[in-house]
């Protein structure tokens, strides 16, 4: 699988793949990461990539030309590339999207900076458009990393233990039950005694009850959505 980040600021992204699980996945050739800078395609003599908004409005908007040319070159190289735009003006990204996108062979994430991207670019090239939440970031780079991380851990072989995928929050309608590590007692704080007794069916029912409590407390909307 290939992830291509279409961004003016690849240095904001690169470091994330230099450690831990995703670094190992790249070393095992499970996926590769590439970068494409729209500025390299700008026909402006100063390599400008943005301009003031037509019709007025604050801030600069990314011009169509560098992005049209960058994305055309990407599609010419790989006609199957799936192009995802990151903007707060979009549907929210959820776990089901992460699973679905993990079956693509090549995803390109297009990050806007400044006040956004000329709408004609999105109209022409977007296979899908996502927001990662109801807040405004300074650019799409963090959002593209969030989505790339969530997608990549669903690709076969990225996680050491694929069981960890099936019990996670959002894999069912409930948030995941709390986890504990060792020691069993730390500074007078003990893990729930049921976790210690080794009766797996009892542990399962306790975990289910705790999942329900967590969901009711933190995400009552989830319970309503699934009629629980
Ligand atoms: N760019 C700026 N804010 C964003 C958000 N919330 N989600 C995706 N892309 C963004």
């Amino acid at each position: 699988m290939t992830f291509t980040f279409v961004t003016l600021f690849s240095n904001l992204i690169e470091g994330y793949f230099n450690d831990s699980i995703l670094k190992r996945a790249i070393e095992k050739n499970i996926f590769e990461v590439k970068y494409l800078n729209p500025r390299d395609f700008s026909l402006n003599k100063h390599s400008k990539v943005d301009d003031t908004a037509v019709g007025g409005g604050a801030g600069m908007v990314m011009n169509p030309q560098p992005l049209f040319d960058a994305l055309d070159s990407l599609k010419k190289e790989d006609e199957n590339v799936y192009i995802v735009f990151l903007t707060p003006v979009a549907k929210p990204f959820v776990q089901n999207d992460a699973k679905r996108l993990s079956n693509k062979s090549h995803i390109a994430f297009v990050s806007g900076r400044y006040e956004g991207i000329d709408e004609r670019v999105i109209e022409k090239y977007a296979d899908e458009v996502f927001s990662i939440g109801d807040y405004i970031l300074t650019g799409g780079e963090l959002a593209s990393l969030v989505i790339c991380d969530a997608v990549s851990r669903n690709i076969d072989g990225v996680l050491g233990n694929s069981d960890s995928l099936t019990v996670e929050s959002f894999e069912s309608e409930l948030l995941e039950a709390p986890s504990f590590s060792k020691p069993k007692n730390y500074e007078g704080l003990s893990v729930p005694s049921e976790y210690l007794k080794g009766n797996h069916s009892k542990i399962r029912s306790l975990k289910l009850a705790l999942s329900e409590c967590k969901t009711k407390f933190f995400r009552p909307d989830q319970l309503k959505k699934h009629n629980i």
Side-chain angles (χ1 to χ4, degrees):
M1 171 142 185
T2 304
F3 295 109
T4 300
F5 290 89
V6 182
T7 171
L8 298 169
F9 300 103
S10 60
N11 53 328
L12 293 179
I13 294 174
E14 281 162 16
Y16 195 69
F17 297 99
N18 288 342
D19 224 321
S20 191
I21 290 172
L22 300 188
K23 179 185 180 194
R24 244 177 294 135
I26 292 169
E27 285 168 354
K28 285 199 267 174
N29 291 322
I30 296 171
F31 67 82
E32 62 174 346
V33 175
K34 294 179 169 178
Y35 302 92
L36 196 62
N37 190 339
R39 199 178 295 286
D40 295 339
F41 294 82
S42 173
L43 298 178
N44 177 276
K45 64 174 184 256
H46 304 296
S47 300
K48 241 170 80 108
V49 290
D50 62 335
D51 214 327
T52 52
V54 175
M60 306 293 272
V61 179
M62 286 178 73
N63 296 132
Q65 180 273 314
L67 280 165
F68 266 53
D69 289 358
L71 295 173
D72 280 342
S73 85
L74 201 56
K75 284 173 80 122
K76 208 164 146 200
E77 223 176 80
D78 180 1
E79 61 183 15
N80 292 320
V81 62
Y82 193 77
I83 302 181
V84 171
F85 282 72
L86 294 313
T87 150
V89 188
K91 66 179 172 180
F93 177 77
V94 295
Q95 181 66 13
N96 268 341
D97 298 314
K99 275 206 265 186
R100 182 170 52 78
L101 293 180
S102 70
N103 294 316
K104 304 282 179 204
S105 59
H106 185 177
I107 301 174
F109 297 109
V110 186
S111 296
R113 279 264 146 184
Y114 318 120
E115 277 309 300
I117 293 175
D118 187 302
E119 189 70 16
R120 290 166 290 184
V121 184
I122 301 173
E123 287 283 324
K124 176 154 189 211
Y125 293 96
D127 289 306
E128 210 152 347
V129 187
F130 285 117
S131 161
I132 61 157
D134 294 343
Y135 39 78
I136 312 293
L137 303 164
T138 53
E141 284 76 9
L142 265 181
S144 64
L145 259 185
V146 165
I147 293 182
C148 181
D149 184 295
V151 170
S152 58
R153 62 201 298 290
N154 283 280
I155 304 172
D156 269 355
V158 169
L159 294 187
N161 178 1
S162 59
D163 277 357
S164 44
L165 280 177
T166 59
V167 294
E168 281 176 332
S169 299
F170 308 115
E171 288 300 320
S172 75
E173 292 73 29
L174 298 175
L175 298 187
E176 194 177 346
S179 310
F180 301 89
S181 132
K182 291 167 189 99
K184 294 166 186 170
N185 262 291
Y186 183 69
E187 296 205 342
L189 300 170
S190 172
V191 311
S193 55
E194 210 66 71
Y195 276 48
L196 301 172
K197 293 183 192 151
N199 181 331
H200 291 288
S201 99
K202 280 199 168 168
I203 293 174
R204 255 197 313 279
S205 359
L206 176 62
K207 283 191 167 177
L208 180 60
L210 293 172
S211 279
E212 285 168 356
C213 287
K214 288 256 181 200
T215 312
K216 205 167 163 185
F217 188 76
F218 288 116
R219 294 296 303 273
D221 57 306
Q222 282 289 106
L223 294 180
K224 247 192 226 143
K225 193 165 108 193
H226 295 281
N227 257 335
I228 298 171

